[in-house]
């Protein structure tokens, strides 16, 4: 482990494998830490240089003193600081849940997307893509996605979510994992879960209304190669929303996996192989080759 400074926080950075090999950066979601990727990282470190970090406010990384500093500007700056520390001109990025949301935002931004050789999205739609879907998708599809996203409004309430993370939410998360066939093990859920859960509420409070409901720029078609791994039993993302991503990507790989939201825990071998195959394909693809 080493520390990376990013503005008002210190990020805990973890590396495995040969730095001379292509680099895979695995970004965790909410309310996890880098440890949620343990099984996948162990399977990939002989083929890649594997990089993970605890996002701001999670695990061993520090939380910003200003709670407003969980917006995408700060999150993408953190990713940029990690890439600076790693020192590679390009990396392969893979994200789960909020790590995936950050990845979608990263490949849309000047100054960072040129540093991403490929992006694998697992269990986390881009907010700009989601906004377009909710405004232009079929009514029944949008309604179904809104039902699965009920927790977003709950997490944005004052005080109550913080109280829940100090009482019932750790048990709720454990039961949810068990229903997916994911047994708790050292490192996941993390011993910092309750604090991570409270800090990460500000991801929802600072980004959801501003991006989903605001007048900002819509999604743009990206030339970064993108792979979407659709966990077919994901209780938070509908197939219709996932299917809509193709219009925003030149050369999308859309792959399905029978698993729940935490597919990288329940089926780490399949997830590791999908990420590896995609990265190796991109590494070997001539410039300008369209991915199918």
């Amino acid at each position: 482990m080493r520390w990376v400074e990013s503005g008002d926080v210190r990020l805990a950075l973890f590396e495995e494998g040969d730095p001379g090999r292509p680099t895979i950066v695995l970004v965790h979601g909410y309310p996890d830490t880098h440890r949620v990727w343990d099984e996948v990282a162990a399977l990939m470190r002989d083929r890649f240089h594997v990089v993970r970090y605890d996002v701001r406010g999670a695990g061993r990384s520090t939380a910003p003193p200003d709670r407003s500093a969980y917006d995408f500007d700060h999150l993408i700056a953190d990713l940029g600081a990690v890439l600076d520390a790693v020192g590679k001109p390009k990396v392969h990025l893979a994200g789960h849940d909020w790590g995936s949301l950050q990845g979608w935002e990263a490949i849309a931004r000047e100054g960072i997307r040129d540093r991403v050789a490929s992006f694998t999205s697992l269990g986390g739609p881009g907010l700009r893509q989601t906004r377009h879907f909710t405004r232009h998708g079929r009514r029944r599809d949008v309604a179904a996605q809104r039902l699965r996203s009920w927790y977003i409004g709950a997490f944005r309430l004052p005080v109550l979510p913080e109280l829940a993370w100090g009482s019932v939410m750790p048990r709720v998360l454990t039961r949810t994992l068990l229903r997916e066939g994911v047994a708790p093990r050292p490192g996941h859920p993390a011993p910092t879960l309750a604090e991570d859960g409270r800090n990460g509420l500000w991801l929802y409070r600072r980004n959801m209304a501003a991006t989903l409901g605001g007048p900002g720029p819509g999604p743009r078609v990206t030339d970064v190669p993108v792979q979407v791994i659709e966990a077919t039993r994901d209780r938070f993302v509908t197939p219709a929303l996932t299917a809509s991503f193709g219009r925003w990507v030149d050369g999308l790989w859309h792959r399905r996996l029978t698993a729940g939201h935490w597919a990288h825990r329940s089926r780490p071998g399949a997830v590791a192989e999908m990420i590896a195959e995609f990265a190796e394909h991109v590494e070997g693809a001539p410039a300008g080759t369209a991915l199918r």
Side-chain angles (χ1 to χ4, degrees):
M1 192 207 84
R2 57 181 166 131
W3 295 105
V4 173
E5 303 289 334
S6 179
D8 50 4
V9 300
R10 298 179 75 203
L11 303 172
L13 176 66
F14 305 83
E15 298 176 82
E16 303 171 71
D18 182 355
R21 294 183 179 274
T23 296
I24 302 278
V25 178
L26 304 173
V27 189
H28 70 82
Y30 173 83
D32 299 322
T33 70
H34 79 283
R35 294 292 306 275
V36 74
W37 288 106
D38 280 0
E39 292 87 353
V40 170
L43 291 166
M44 300 187 74
R45 63 191 175 204
D46 289 338
R47 292 162 69 178
F48 297 92
H49 173 223
V50 181
V51 174
R52 295 178 283 167
Y53 66 101
D54 288 336
V55 303
R56 58 176 51 213
R60 299 184 66 175
S61 294
T62 62
D66 181 355
R67 289 176 172 176
S68 68
Y70 283 90
D71 58 14
F72 275 132
D73 288 345
H74 287 86
L75 297 170
I76 301 307
D78 291 349
L79 176 59
V82 167
L83 298 187
D84 289 343
V86 171
K88 294 289 190 71
K90 286 201 173 191
V91 304
H92 299 276
L93 183 64
H96 171 252
D97 191 81
W98 265 95
S100 179
L101 269 65
Q102 292 180 57
W104 282 106
E105 187 70 17
I107 63 173
R109 294 204 173 200
E110 299 287 346
I112 190 97
R113 68 169 179 264
D114 291 340
R115 306 173 72 179
V116 179
S118 74
F119 170 51
T120 294
S121 167
L122 174 64
L127 289 190
R128 299 182 195 278
Q129 288 79 6
T130 300
R131 180 173 63 185
H132 187 277
F133 174 80
T134 57
R135 292 178 178 178
H136 303 287
R138 291 192 303 177
R139 187 174 300 176
R140 65 182 181 185
D141 292 337
V142 172
Q145 181 58 53
R146 290 189 186 279
L147 284 174
R148 294 202 190 190
S149 302
W150 64 268
Y151 59 91
I152 294 175
F155 285 166
R156 291 170 58 196
L157 293 172
V159 181
L160 290 178
E162 280 85 351
L163 294 175
W165 274 113
S167 55
V168 300
M169 280 299 293
R171 293 194 297 274
V172 170
L173 178 63
T174 296
R175 288 197 297 269
T176 301
L177 291 169
L178 289 172
R179 283 197 295 270
E180 292 193 9
V182 176
R185 47 99 170 132
H188 186 249
T192 53
L193 175 62
E195 183 179 3
D196 297 344
R198 288 190 291 267
N199 288 338
L201 292 168
W202 292 92
L203 295 168
Y204 294 88
R205 292 166 178 169
R206 294 300 301 171
N207 295 291
M208 288 298 179
T211 307
L212 289 179
R220 54 167 289 173
V221 177
T222 180
D223 58 0
V224 175
V226 175
Q227 171 179 226
V228 172
I229 301 175
E230 178 185 351
T232 59
R233 295 175 181 168
D234 193 323
R235 66 185 63 220
F236 304 115
V237 184
T238 62
L241 176 56
T242 302
S244 72
F245 298 160
R247 68 183 300 164
W248 308 116
V249 178
D250 283 339
L252 177 75
W253 276 25
H254 182 177
R255 306 172 84 173
R256 292 178 175 85
L257 182 63
T258 303
H261 184 67
W262 280 271
H264 48 334
R265 283 288 330 273
S266 63
R267 301 200 54 193
V271 170
E273 192 59 31
M274 287 179 178
I275 296 172
E277 286 177 354
F278 187 56
E280 288 171 344
H281 180 92
V282 172
E283 287 288 319
T289 299
L291 302 178
R292 302 295 181 188

